[in-house]
Amino acid sequence: MKQPNYYMKNIECASRDEIETIQSRGLVTTVKRAYENSEYYRRKMDDKGIKPEDIKGIEDLHKLPFTCKDDLRQAYPYGLLCKPLSECVRIHSTSGTTGKRVIAFYTQHDLDAWESCCARAIAAAGGTKDDIVQISYGYGLFTGGMGIHGGSQKLGSLTLPMSSGSTDRQIQFMQDLGTTFLCCTPSYAAFIAETVTEKNLLSTIKLRAGIFGGEAWTDEMRHDIENKLNIKAYDIYGLTELDGPGVAYECETQHGMHICEDQFIAEIIDPNTGEVLPYGRKGELVFTSVSKEAFPMIRYRTRDICVLYNDKCPCGRTHIRMAKPMGRSDDMLIIKGVNVFPSQIETVLLENGYSSNYQLIVDRVKTTDTLDINVEMTPEMFSDTLGDITAREKALVNALKGFLGIYANIHLVSPHSIVRSEGKAVRVIDKRKLY
Ligand code: DLL
């Protein structure tokens, strides 16, 4: 294994005792800050009969109430704010396309801590000050662009603030400037990779790695992007409520994402009972921030379903790892009583030679759920005869039935007929909600 590349080795490789000391101290300060400055948090703790003095360290974490998206909505916009606005220097927000807008506030300290997590992520993917980092996440209220941007500058890399979109121009810059790192959503990376392949431009670009996150993506999609762009593709995780990208990131082993444990305490809970589950068990990811000043999060329920691991990582980092989230509990579709995550369907499609360009349409006819999947053919498949295409559709129906246990109507559609995403892809249309 190559010599690992760190941004803050003393923190990234700290002993368990050191990490727990940082977390315990941070938790005590965070709870006190929240109780004293946010009436909303104070009320929640009072309702549970908890005072800041009851929290002496991480062993007391379980006594605290959970925070969830509904709390953020009810407390919107300033209810959870714990610093005067005059000490805040930035606001970010989620897109709020489903009316779930979240606004997060940052002090300068918060931005520094966040950007240092993003710098760790780039370093863990092998990035150094000699790299040229093209940031094709959206800039603006979305945390992707500005967060990774700050991390790249902290690392000293040459930072290209491209934002998303204008794919031809993205590729032109890669060619002209010799970009070595690409940072964007996996869907946009797949689109860029597809364009590079179709235009036969691979030999003209110098990319060596990509840091992709912000949405669920499968290992199959990773391999597709890696092959088409001849790079290593690393996963990065985060959410606006906690600051943005960089809450967790992959190292060169590409086997789970190290959680920045000096900033966040992670727990996995049973989403139905709230019971804390041990390492290795699947459940809902919950985070508590231990350094954030303006917008601390206490036991925030992310709705992301995943698993935590605490086994030793060959890279030397001691922070525990989270698996790729397999979806959000609120993205999980229940079709004819079967739990289905779009990522499971994606796995079957990619394993069968299709791309990640697909769309799920769920509907209800009388009382029965239906699932239709539009799947793009590759250009080679498109030249098949009608009989071949029908046979392909049948094969895919059977593969999905075998994997998920439900029947889906498959419609193979022509290449490029499904709209590409420059940010997070929207792959599910659930018409049942309209009833
Ligand atoms: O998506 C922050 C981010 C930007 C992370 C760029 C990584 C890269 P939000 O818009 O608030 O923040 O969305 C957060 O996106 O709860 C997950 O459901 C999902 N998500 C983020 N990263 C990943 C990932 C940003 N690597 C929500 N894998 C989270 C799977 C992810 N899902």
Side-chain angles (χ1 to χ4, degrees), residues 414-430:
S414 55
H416 289 286
S417 55
I418 293 176
V419 178
R420 301 295 187 265
S421 165
E422 293 168 353
K424 301 192 189 200
V426 180
R427 295 208 172 91
V428 182
I429 302 171
D430 193 342

Side-chain angles (χ1 to χ4, degrees), residues 179-252:
T179 302
T180 53
F181 267 64
L182 173 65
C183 304
C184 60
T185 60
S187 330
Y188 195 39
F191 182 31
I192 293 176
E194 182 183 51
T195 312
V196 165
T197 308
E198 279 171 7
K199 298 194 170 168
N200 204 13
L201 297 176
L202 186 57
S203 62
T204 67
I205 58 173
K206 294 197 178 122
L207 281 184
R208 63 187 188 91
I211 303 181
F212 308 129
E215 61 181 351
W217 54 310
T218 57
D219 270 330
E220 289 75 16
M221 189 163 165
R222 184 210 301 265
H223 297 143
D224 186 50
I225 297 170
E226 287 188 329
N227 290 337
K228 286 193 176 130
L229 290 177
N230 194 22
I231 59 171
K232 287 242 290 176
Y234 296 89
D235 202 353
I236 184 166
Y237 170 88
L239 53 158
T240 314
E241 295 86 321
L242 295 180
D243 24 61
V247 171
Y249 55 87
E250 271 185 336
C251 61
E252 60 268 33

